C-alpha cells in the first residue's frame, strides 16, 4: 500500500520547470565557487612551491639545522726551559642571532641589565656587525664569568636568539711578563679579512696585532672546526648531529729565560726603560723587558677611548717597545767604541798617559769631565775604568768624526739589528754629510768631541748597545738577536728549528778587543771603577756605566736628581758581560730619566746576573704563576 501511495505522490510533485532551473543555477554557482577556491589554493601552492620554494627551503633548513663555527685555539708560547708563558683557555661569550629575535630593542634592554652594559653599547655592537648574515651570532659580551653565564641560561626562554658560546681566549700565565715581546691580540676587521694574510680567519676572531703574536700569526693560529646542530624556533640547540673539532696552532719555544725575565722586570718596577740580555756565543735572547709593561688582557677586551688616551699620555711611555724603539744618547757606554777605534787606528799608545784636570779646552769652548777635580794622569786602562771624559775627548779629536762613524757602524750602530719585530729604530751615527743634509750647516770639530763620549747627536737603542757589548765579549761577532728556538706542532713534531745567524764581525783585532775586555773588567772589579756595584763574588763581570745627558741646563747642574723635572733628568746606562774569561751572558740596561748609570742601572744588571749564575748552580724554576686557566 505504501509503494502505491508513493508513486501517486511522485507523479504529483515531479518536474516543476522553475525549480529545476533554480537547482541548475545553484549548482553552477557552487561549482564556480569550488573551482575558484581550488584555483586560489593551487595558485598559492604554486607560488610557495615554485616561485618561493628554494628560499623557503633554505629558510626552513636554517631554522632547524645550523653550523656552529668553533675557532681553533692559538698555540702556546713557552720559554727555553719549556715553561708555558702564554696559552689558550676556554671562555664564555654571550651572542645574538638576529634571525631569531622578534623585538631586538626589548631584548637588548633585557640583556643590558644582565651583562651590565648599556643598551646603547649593545646596539653599537649590533650595528657594527650589520653586514654579517642574520643567522650568524654577533658577540655581545666576551669572557663573561660563570655567574653571568648562569643568569643568561636561567632567562634564555625569555630571550630567544641569545646564545652562549665557548671559545678559546689568550691566557697570560705570568701576567704581563715580556708583554712587548709577546705582543697583543685584536679582533680582525672587515678590511683585514679581504687580505691574503688572514684568509683562513673569520670575522670576530682574534689575530696578532704586534710582537711575536703578529710575526708568528700563521704558526700560532689554530684551525677552526664546527658542529651541525638542530635548534628550535628560539634558536636553542635541541641536538647535535656531528662535529669537526678545532685544531690548536703550533707551539713556539722561545730562547727567553722566564726566571731572568721576572728578575729583570722586578728590578725595573716603577721605572721606565729596558733590560735586554743575550747569550753572546750565539745571539739567543735571554731577557726582553720594556718597562713599564702594558696590560695585555686590556687589549683583549678592547680599550676605551679614555684608557687609550691614558696610555698615550703616560709620561713613562708604556706603549713603545723601548728595547728597539727607544733611541737614547749612549753616554759613556759609547767609550767602548771610541776605545776600540783608538786602538785599531793606533792614534795613541794605550800605555801613554794624558792629563785630566777636570776640563778640556777646545776652540772657544771648555768641555768638562764628570770628575770636576780631574783624574790626573790617565792612560787608556785608567781612562775606561774611571770613565774619564777628558781622555776620550782627546781620543775623539785624534780619530775624527768619520773614523768614529766607521767603527760605530762596524759595531752595528746606526742601523736596525734586523729583528723580526716591527718598527725597530735605526739610531743615529752622525757624520758631516748627515748634518749638512739634516740641518744645512757644516760639521763643527767640537761636535766630534761630544760624540766621542756618547753625547751630541749620537742615538742608540738598548738592543744595539747589547750587540756592542756582546761583540766585545765574544771576540767580535755580531749575532742577529734570536727569539725563537723552535716551532713544534701539537703532536710534538718539530716544524722549524732556528739557528744562530752571524751578521758581521766588528773591524777590531782580537788583541785590541782583549784590551777593551780587560778595561771593562776593571770598570767593575778595580778600586774607583765606576761599575763596582755590579761586582759579584762568584764570577768576574765586565761592564761599562753611562750617564746620558738629556738636555744641557746649567740651572740643574748642581741639584739633586729628584729636584730636577723628570723629563730633564739624565738616562742611566749599564752594559755588561760575564764571566769575563768565558762570557755566557751579556746585558744592556737603560733606565730613563733616573740619574747615574753606576748607581741606578748597574744594580738592575747585577740582579739579572746573580739570578743567571745562581740558577746555574740550582736550576729549579722559581717563577710564581700570577694567572692561568685554573685560577679563573
Amino acid at each position: 500500500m505504501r509503494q502505491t501511495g508513493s508513486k501517486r505522490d511522485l507523479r504529483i510533485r515531479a518536474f516543476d520547470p522553475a525549480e529545476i532551473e533554480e537547482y541548475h543555477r545553484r549548482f553552477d554557482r557552487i561549482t564556480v565557487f569550488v573551482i575558484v577556491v581550488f584555483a586560489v589554493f593551487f595558485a598559492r601552492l604554486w607560488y610557495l612551491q615554485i616561485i618561493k620554494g628554494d628560499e623557503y627551503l633554505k629558510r626552513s633548513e636554517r631554522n632547524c639545522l645550523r653550523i656552529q663555527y668553533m675557532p681553533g685555539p692559538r698555540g702556546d708560547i713557552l720559554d727555553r726551559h719549556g715553561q708555558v708563558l702564554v696559552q689558550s683557555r676556554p671562555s664564555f661569550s654571550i651572542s645574538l642571532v638576529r634571525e631569531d629575535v622578534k623585538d631586538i630593542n626589548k631584548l637588548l634592554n633585557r640583556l643590558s641589565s644582565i651583562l651590565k652594559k648599556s643598551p646603547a653599547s649593545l646596539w653599537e655592537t649590533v650595528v657594527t656587525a650589520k653586514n654579517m648574515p642574520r643567522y650568524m651570532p654577533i658577540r655581545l659580551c666576551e669572557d663573561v664569568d660563570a655567574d653571568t653565564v648562569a643568569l643568561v641560561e636561567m632567562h634564555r626562554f625569555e630571550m630567544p636568539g641569545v646564545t652562549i658560546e665557548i671559545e678559546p681566549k689568550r691566557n697570560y700565565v705570568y701576567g704581563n711578563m715580556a708583554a712587548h715581546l709577546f705582543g697583543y691580540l685584536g679582533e680582525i676587521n672587515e678590511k683585514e679579512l679581504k687580505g691574503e694574510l688572514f684568509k683562513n680567519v673569520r670575522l670576530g676572531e682574534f689575530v696578532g696585532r704586534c710582537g711575536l703574536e703578529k710575526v708568528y700569526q700563521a704558526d700560532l693560529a689554530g684551525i677552526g672546526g664546527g658542529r651541525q646542530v638542530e635548534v628550535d624556533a628560539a634558536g636553542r640547540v635541541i641536538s647535535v648531529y656531528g662535529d669537526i673539532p678545532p685544531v690548536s696552532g703550533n707551539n713556539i719555544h722561545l730562547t727567553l729565560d722566564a726566571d731572568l725575565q721576572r728578575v729583570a722586570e722586578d728590578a725595573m718596577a716603577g721605572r721606565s726603560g729596558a733590560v735586554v740580555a743575550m747569550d753572546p756565543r750565539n745571539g739567543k735572547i735571554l731577557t726582553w723587558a720594556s718597562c713599564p709593561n702594558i696590560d695585555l688582557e686590556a687589549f683583549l677586551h678592547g680599550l676605551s677611548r679614555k684608557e687609550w688616551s691614558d696610555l698615550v699620555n703616560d709620561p713613562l711611555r708604556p706603549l713603545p717597545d723601548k728595547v728597539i724603539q727607544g733611541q737614547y744618547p749612549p753616554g759613556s757606554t759609547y767609550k767602548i767604541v771610541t776605545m776600540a777605534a783608538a786602538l785599531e787606528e793606533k792614534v795613541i799608545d794605550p800605555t801613554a798617559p794624558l792629563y785630566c784636570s777636570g776640563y778640556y779646552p777646545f776652540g772657544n769652548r771648555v768641555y768638562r769631565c764628570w770628575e770636576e777635580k780631574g783624574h790626573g794622569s790617565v792612560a787608556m786602562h785608567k781612562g775606561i775604568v774611571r770613565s774619564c771624559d777628558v781622555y776620550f775627548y782627546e781620543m775623539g779629536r785624534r780619530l775624527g768624526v768619520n773614523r768614529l762613524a766607521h767603527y760605530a757602524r762596524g759595531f752595528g750602530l746606526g742601523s736596525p739589528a734586523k729583528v723580526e719585530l716591527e718598527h725597530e729604530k735605526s739610531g743615529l751615527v752622525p757624520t758631516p754629510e748627515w748634518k749638512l743634509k739634516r740641518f744645512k750647516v757644516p760639521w763643527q770639530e767640537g761636535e766630534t768631541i761630544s760624540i766621542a763620549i756618547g753625547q751630541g747627536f749620537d742615538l742608540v737603542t738598548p738592543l744595539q748597545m747589547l750587540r756592542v757589548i756582546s761583540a766585545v765579549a765574544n771576540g767580535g761577532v755580531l749575532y742577529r738577536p734570536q727569539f725563537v728556538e723552535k716551532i713544534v706542532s701539537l703532536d710534538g713534531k718539530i716544524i722549524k728549528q732556528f739557528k744562530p745567524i752571524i751578521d758581521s764581525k766588528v773591524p777590531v783585532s782580537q788583541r785590541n778587543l782583549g784590551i777593551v775586555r780587560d778595561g771593562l773588567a776593571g770598570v767593575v772589579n778595580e778600586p774607583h771603577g765606576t761599575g763596582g756595584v755590579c761586582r759579584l763574588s762568584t764570577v768576574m763581570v765586565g761592564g761599562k756605566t753611562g750617564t746620558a745627558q738629556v738636555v744641557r741646563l746649567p740651572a740643574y747642574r748642581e741639584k739633586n736628581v729628584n729636584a730636577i723635572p723628570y723629563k730633564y733628568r739624565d738616562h742611566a746606562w749599564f752594559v755588561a758581560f760575564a764571566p769575563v774569561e768565558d762570557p755566557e751572558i751579556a746585558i744592556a740596561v737603560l733606565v730613563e730619566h733616573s740619574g747615574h748609570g753606576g748607581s741606578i742601572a748597574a744594580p738592575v744588571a747585577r740582579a739579572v746576573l746573580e739570578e743567571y749564575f745562581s740558577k746555574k748552580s740550582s736550576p729549579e724554576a722559581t717563577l710564581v704563576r700570577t694567572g692561568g686557566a685554573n685560577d679563573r
Side-chain angles (χ1 to χ4, degrees):
M1 290 300 290
R2 288 179 67 88
Q3 187 177 6
T4 303
S6 299
K7 288 178 179 179
R8 186 176 60 248
D9 293 341
L10 284 174
R11 282 197 302 270
I12 294 172
R13 298 179 57 83
F15 305 120
D16 182 346
E19 288 186 2
I20 292 173
E21 185 62 26
E22 178 60 22
Y23 287 146
H24 282 172
R25 284 197 296 272
R26 289 181 180 176
F27 179 79
D28 290 344
R29 286 197 292 270
I30 291 171
T31 302
V32 170
F33 175 76
V34 170
I35 289 173
V36 170
V37 169
F38 273 96
V40 170
F41 276 122
F42 179 79
R44 182 63 179 167
L45 186 63
W46 179 79
Y47 175 79
L48 294 175
Q49 292 289 331
I50 304 302
I51 302 300
K52 306 290 284 186
D54 289 344
E55 178 185 337
Y56 285 114
L57 176 63
K58 292 177 182 176
R59 188 180 296 182
S60 172
E61 288 176 347
R62 284 203 303 269
N63 281 343
C64 63
L65 296 177
R66 288 179 183 169
I67 301 295
Q68 290 185 338
Y69 178 72
M70 294 182 288
R74 292 176 75 85
D76 295 343
I77 299 177
L78 305 91
D79 85 337
R80 61 168 42 209
H81 303 297
Q83 293 190 72
V84 177
L85 308 178
V86 184
Q87 61 184 182
S88 292
R89 60 174 173 80
S91 76
F92 294 100
S93 296
I94 307 301
S95 300
L96 176 71
V97 178
R98 284 173 293 172
E99 196 173 61
D100 299 329
V101 180
K102 294 180 181 177
D103 187 338
I104 197 165
N105 280 312
K106 182 178 178 182
L107 180 63
L108 294 183
N109 285 330
R110 181 78 181 88
L111 270 176
S112 69
S113 61
I114 297 176
L115 302 180
K116 296 181 174 56
K117 282 191 165 187
S118 69
S121 68
L122 295 176
W123 251 118
E124 186 178 351
T125 305
V126 173
V127 170
T128 303
K130 62 183 179 183
N131 294 329
M132 288 175 58
R134 292 179 60 81
Y135 60 86
M136 287 188 66
I138 299 172
R139 191 183 297 112
L140 297 178
C141 195
E142 304 167 3
D143 204 15
V144 297
D145 55 37
D147 291 341
T148 303
V149 171
L151 203 55
V152 172
E153 188 64 46
M154 186 186 306
H155 295 281
R156 280 187 70 184
F157 284 97
E158 307 160 19
M159 302 184 296
V162 175
T163 64
I164 300 171
E165 298 178 306
I166 303 176
E167 57 187 1
K169 207 76 171 177
R170 228 36 177 157
N171 178 44
Y172 304 99
V173 180
Y174 299 105
N176 296 319
M177 172 189 286
H180 293 82
L181 178 62
F182 297 156
Y184 55 83
L185 303 178
E187 191 170 342
I188 193 168
N189 56 45
E190 293 187 49
K191 182 180 178 182
E192 291 170 324
L193 277 174
K194 298 174 182 174
E196 284 294 311
L197 184 61
F198 303 113
K199 60 182 179 182
N200 295 323
V201 181
R202 294 195 176 197
L203 192 65
E205 287 192 50
F206 282 78
V207 297
R209 282 273 174 250
C210 65
L212 296 178
E213 293 275 22
K214 182 174 184 180
V215 173
Y216 291 96
Q217 162 70 23
D219 298 287
L220 287 167
I223 301 174
R227 61 178 183 172
Q228 189 178 37
V229 298
E230 182 182 8
V231 298
D232 63 13
R236 294 180 290 260
V237 175
I238 299 172
S239 60
V240 178
Y241 285 98
D243 60 359
I244 300 174
V247 179
S248 293
N250 299 316
N251 295 333
I252 291 184
H253 293 250
L254 302 181
T255 61
L256 198 77
D257 186 308
D259 293 319
L260 294 188
Q261 183 74 22
R262 185 258 305 164
V263 170
E265 294 187 8
D266 287 350
M268 287 289 289
R271 294 170 172 167
S272 176
V275 184
V276 56
M278 69 159 62
D279 186 335
R281 298 168 296 187
N282 48 38
K284 295 182 179 180
I285 292 294
L286 300 171
T287 70
W288 186 281
S290 177
C291 303
N293 259 330
I294 53 176
D295 185 354
L296 296 173
E297 286 277 357
F299 282 92
L300 279 180
H301 294 101
L303 296 176
S304 65
R305 288 185 179 180
K306 183 181 184 307
E307 289 171 328
W308 177 253
S309 176
D310 289 345
L311 270 177
V312 171
N313 297 313
D314 189 327
L316 298 185
R317 302 186 306 122
L319 277 178
D321 183 344
K322 297 184 176 75
V323 175
I324 55 172
Q325 295 172 5
Q327 299 185 107
Y328 311 89
S332 292
T333 59
Y334 192 86
K335 290 172 182 171
I336 296 171
V337 176
T338 305
M339 180 178 179
L343 287 167
E344 199 67 20
E345 293 293 323
K346 299 181 175 59
V347 298
I348 191 171
D349 178 347
T351 61
L354 299 174
Y355 189 77
C356 171
S357 58
Y359 60 90
Y360 183 84
F362 186 82
N364 58 357
R365 272 195 61 186
V366 173
Y367 295 82
R368 297 182 178 278
C369 184
W370 69 269
E371 180 61 83
E372 291 185 6
K373 62 184 180 183
H375 290 97
S377 179
V378 179
M380 184 171 277
H381 185 81
K382 182 179 177 182
I384 194 73
V385 169
R386 300 194 181 186
S387 197
C388 175
D389 290 336
V390 168
Y391 187 90
F392 285 93
Y393 288 147
E394 177 62 18
M395 294 301 101
R397 188 193 66 77
R398 293 186 185 186
L399 283 165
V401 60
N402 288 323
R403 283 197 288 188
L404 268 175
H406 168 72
Y407 285 94
R409 293 196 187 99
F411 273 96
L413 303 181
S415 59
K418 301 176 184 175
V419 294
E420 297 171 294
L421 305 178
E422 292 182 319
H423 310 304
E424 181 186 6
K425 301 296 185 183
S426 60
L428 176 62
V429 173
T431 63
E433 291 75 20
W434 166 82
K435 186 185 175 190
L436 194 60
K437 183 178 179 181
R438 175 69 176 81
F439 296 108
K440 313 298 182 190
V441 293
W443 186 265
Q444 302 296 316
E445 286 302 315
E447 291 167 331
T448 306
I449 305 298
S450 292
I451 65 170
I453 64 162
Q455 291 292 166
F457 297 116
D458 283 328
L459 287 176
V460 299
T461 68
L463 183 64
Q464 287 175 332
M465 288 313 299
L466 175 66
R467 294 226 297 170
V468 169
I469 195 66
S470 293
V472 171
N474 67 25
V477 180
L478 277 177
Y479 283 101
R480 186 172 301 179
Q482 178 184 341
F483 307 108
V484 181
E485 188 73 54
K486 57 187 175 183
I487 298 175
V488 181
S489 67
L490 197 61
D491 58 4
K493 179 183 177 183
I494 296 178
I495 296 174
K496 188 174 182 181
Q497 183 87 45
F498 293 81
K499 294 182 178 178
I501 297 175
I502 295 176
D503 276 336
S504 60
K505 294 190 177 181
V506 299
V508 183
S509 70
Q510 292 298 316
R511 175 181 176 277
N512 288 334
L513 285 174
I515 294 173
V516 175
R517 281 195 297 272
D518 289 343
L520 299 182
V523 169
V524 176
N525 299 286
E526 293 181 12
H528 307 295
T530 56
V533 170
C534 201
R535 193 179 307 155
L536 299 181
S537 59
T538 52
V539 296
M540 180 175 282
V541 177
K544 183 69 193 80
T545 55
T547 303
Q549 201 173 50
V550 176
V551 291
R552 186 180 293 111
L553 292 175
Y556 299 122
R557 187 174 296 163
E558 305 299 332
K559 290 189 176 182
N560 181 283
V561 65
N562 293 323
I564 301 173
Y566 178 77
K567 63 181 179 180
Y568 297 145
R569 298 174 191 171
D570 297 339
H571 299 314
W573 278 99
F574 192 71
V575 294
F577 61 96
V580 169
E581 59 277 12
D582 187 17
E584 301 174 13
I585 179 173
I587 185 170
V589 178
L590 178 279
V591 187
E592 289 181 335
H593 306 294
S594 60
H596 298 290
S599 58
I600 302 296
V604 176
R606 178 192 171 107
V608 175
L609 294 174
E610 280 182 329
E611 174 66 19
Y612 178 85
F613 290 106
S614 67
K615 191 176 177 182
K616 280 190 67 177
S617 58
S618 178
E620 291 185 10
T622 56
L623 276 177
V624 177
R625 294 167 64 102
T626 57
N630 297 330
D631 297 327
R632 295 188 64 83

